Amino acid sequence: MNATPTPVQDLSRPVTAIKGLPADFRWGVATSAYQIEGAAAEDGRTPSIWDTFCRVPGAVEGGEHGDVACDHYHRMPQDVELIAGLGVDTYRFSLAWPRIQPGGRGPGNAKGLDFYKRLVDELHGRNITPWITLYHWDLPQELEDAGGWPARDTAYRFADYAAIAYDALGDRVEHWTTLNEPWCSAVLGYDAGVHAPGRKDFGDSIRAVHHLLLGHGLASRRIRDAAGANPLELGITLNLGTATPETDSEADSEACRRADGQGRRLYLDPLVHGRYPEDVVADLALRGAELPVQDGDLEIIANPLDVLGVNFYRGALFSGVTENGAPVDENGLPVTRGVPRDLPRTAMDWEITPTELTDLLVGLQEDYAVPTVITENGAAFDDTVAADGSVPDADRTAYLADHLAAVAEARARGADVRGYFAWSLMDNFEWAYGYDKRFGIVRVDYDTQARTLKDSAKWYRDTIGLTREAR
């Protein structure tokens, strides 16, 4: 697909303090296990759905996989030293379920747990707060073979795994996230088929939505029970955007309602309000899908959130008619069509929309009133290494600067935003794109595994320092 021409833009962003951020605002970087760890078959780790999906011909760019990735499993102490040099106070990372509980059932794997204990100890030794995500898409393959997330039992297996992880690490980690982006797990993995496990069944994807949320609730209860009176900040991370109508027509407004319903409210309404939105349930029924809710499920899902992780990459413009002006598609269903805009774009061909991050955060505050942290925000660009070995990436620096300004503006408008974690710490395995897309503020040479701070990393480090000094 040809990208919309990118307007000429001023990418210069000086290092200045970000005004309006409180003294306890969290500064961090983020990664996920399968994208960086490597060591895919070491110390008892068994295959995940991504190990399997990467072997499907044509599923991943270049047939690439995460067997080695950034070799973080063997280079962890050096990577923690790198993180510390960025001046951040928090590191968000995920645990690999098949490394901790091979096969997704049974006792914990001591060698796998020991790796994360060492990681947490290294972080504490550098005065960096660990922020754990329990699930970032690496379902043990054995559980997928038994039905995956469309099967109710997977939610209970997830709760068992969460209990194992918390029992091993809860004495040294206060900040826990259950799931990362359940929309991606359910929709991209079970409907679109472009993420692991690569299935294409809309009904299965909606069943997966409910069981992912149920798994979150069950795991939350297990963790809270185990924590007792110990300090705990527990939440979930969702990938969220905004939905803007192309025109003021009723059709475009309805398209935005549907997009917001299935992208935001389908998750947040049960998590916060203990109910699925009736209009979304009706929309799903038009496509023959039903959420498999059993008695007591919604009470479990609505376990109180201490924090909502927000992964933001872009907002979107929607139309309620086809390009030919028809209000229904070839299947007779109402149209919800994304409309491209004449905006700057990343190497993923994603529009850059920082002001829409402000709108999103303010709207979340008004609708759900849960404290938020930006757990992912960043961009892939086509970086090049200069003759002197440096990596000038003014486009990424501008992206980070503009989105941090959007966070500050959201706070000024009343949103309770408590932190910002740049995605990603380093270039890594970018799922179906393999190693073709680079999101890192640190460059990784995959041939040598050498790490190099990009200019954006230096800007981020210096901005954090100036903002702290200005308080």
Side-chain angles (χ1 to χ4, degrees):
M1 182 177 75
N2 294 325
T4 300
T6 301
V8 175
Q9 53 178 324
D10 178 10
L11 297 176
S12 60
R13 299 295 187 277
V15 177
T16 58
I18 307 294
K19 297 180 180 180
L21 302 181
D24 60 353
F25 189 81
R26 290 190 172 277
W27 295 91
V29 287
T31 64
S32 87
Y34 190 74
Q35 292 181 275
I36 68 167
E37 283 183 2
E42 293 186 32
D43 292 337
R45 182 189 179 278
T46 57
S48 75
I49 55 175
W50 272 96
D51 295 284
T52 302
F53 187 68
C54 289
R55 269 65 186 185
V56 176
V60 175
E61 185 76 22
E64 293 169 332
H65 49 71
D67 285 7
V68 176
C70 303
D71 198 31
H72 173 70
Y73 192 77
H74 300 116
R75 300 168 186 265
M76 179 267 292
Q78 300 96 305
D79 286 340
V80 172
E81 182 177 1
L82 180 70
I83 294 166
L86 294 173
V88 300
D89 51 56
T90 306
Y91 174 45
R92 175 184 178 246
F93 60 95
S94 76
L95 309 181
W97 188 347
R99 194 181 298 286
I100 286 180
Q101 191 191 33
R105 288 185 172 84
N109 173 29
K111 288 184 177 180
L113 288 165
D114 283 347
F115 168 73
Y116 296 110
K117 291 176 182 177
R118 295 194 305 272
L119 169 56
V120 169
D121 288 346
E122 288 280 347
L123 292 167
H124 282 312
R126 295 284 188 166
N127 295 315
I128 299 168
T129 299
W131 186 298
I132 284 178
T133 299
L134 283 164
Y135 185 73
H136 200 126
W137 308 352
D138 47 0
L139 184 71
Q141 182 60 44
E142 289 88 339
L143 294 185
E144 173 59 24
D145 293 342
W149 285 110
R152 185 178 179 89
D153 185 64
T154 304
Y156 293 90
R157 303 288 70 75
F158 177 67
D160 289 346
Y161 153 64
I164 291 169
Y166 187 82
D167 181 65
L169 299 168
D171 62 337
R172 61 194 84 187
V173 179
E174 297 179 13
H175 305 277
W176 292 79
T177 295
T178 53
L179 306 173
N180 179 78
E181 300 184 348
W183 180 91
C184 290
S185 296
V187 177
L188 299 183
Y190 290 97
D191 178 28
V194 296
H195 276 194
R199 287 158 62 176
K200 297 181 179 181
D201 186 304
F202 183 70
D204 273 352
S205 76
I206 298 306
R207 285 183 281 275
V209 167
H210 180 67
H211 295 143
L212 283 155
L213 294 176
L214 179 62
H216 155 80
L218 292 167
S220 296
R221 286 191 170 185
R222 297 281 289 275
I223 290 172
R224 289 198 188 280
D225 287 347
N230 293 328
L232 177 67
E233 186 174 52
L234 178 62
I236 189 172
T237 284
L238 306 179
N239 54 308
L240 299 170
T242 54
T244 304
E246 183 182 26
T247 72
D248 59 2
S249 71
E250 182 179 351
D252 290 357
S253 295
E254 272 291 288
C256 286
R257 180 196 60 76
R258 288 189 292 272
D260 178 69
Q262 293 190 37
R264 185 179 73 122
R265 293 183 289 117
L266 179 60
Y267 302 88
L268 278 166
D269 277 21
L271 286 165
V272 178
H273 301 315
R275 62 178 183 269
Y276 283 113
E278 292 181 1
D279 64 310
V280 177
V281 172
D283 290 339
L284 298 177
L286 287 176
R287 297 187 61 181
E290 183 178 357
L291 292 152
V293 181
Q294 295 187 13
D295 288 346
D297 284 3
L298 289 168
E299 181 182 355
I300 294 170
I301 291 170
N303 204 286
L305 294 173
D306 299 318
V307 63
L308 172 64
V310 175
N311 291 357
F312 178 85
Y313 291 97
R314 54 176 169 168
L317 188 71
F318 286 97
S319 171
V321 297
T322 66
E323 292 183 353
N324 295 324
V328 295
D329 63 18
E330 64 276 11
N331 298 313
L333 296 171
V335 173
T336 306
R337 177 173 63 88
V339 180
R341 293 174 283 188
D342 189 21
L343 294 173
R345 293 171 179 261
T346 71
M348 299 287 285
D349 199 29
W350 294 350
E351 296 172 352
I352 301 174
T353 61
T355 60
E356 293 178 8
L357 174 57
T358 301
D359 296 338
L360 171 68
L361 293 169
V362 172
L364 290 172
Q365 185 68 40
E366 294 171 348
D367 293 343
Y368 301 103
V370 177
T372 55
V373 169
I374 306 301
T375 40
E376 287 184 27
N377 179 241
F381 291 105
D382 296 325
D383 306 323
T384 57
V385 180
D388 63 359
S390 66
V391 186
D393 59 340
D395 39 17
R396 184 174 291 104
T397 296
Y399 185 100
L400 296 175
D402 293 347
H403 285 79
L404 276 165
V407 170
E409 175 62 20
R411 283 190 55 87
R413 290 171 51 184
D416 186 6
V417 193
R418 300 184 178 183
Y420 178 93
F421 304 162
W423 183 271
S424 173
L425 166 64
M426 55 183 145
D427 297 334
N428 53 44
F429 177 78
E430 187 47 44
W431 309 114
Y433 291 93
Y435 296 95
D436 184 55
K437 305 299 182 186
R438 293 178 177 266
F439 275 85
I441 59 173
V442 175
R443 179 179 175 83
V444 176
D445 182 323
Y446 296 117
D447 293 329
T448 66
Q449 292 294 342
R451 276 76 156 137
T452 303
L453 295 186
K454 301 178 186 179
D455 285 0
S456 59
K458 300 171 186 176
W459 178 91
Y460 191 50
R461 174 197 64 200
D462 295 346
T463 297
I464 293 170
L466 279 179
T467 302
R468 287 179 177 147
E469 290 173 6
R471 290 169 181 156

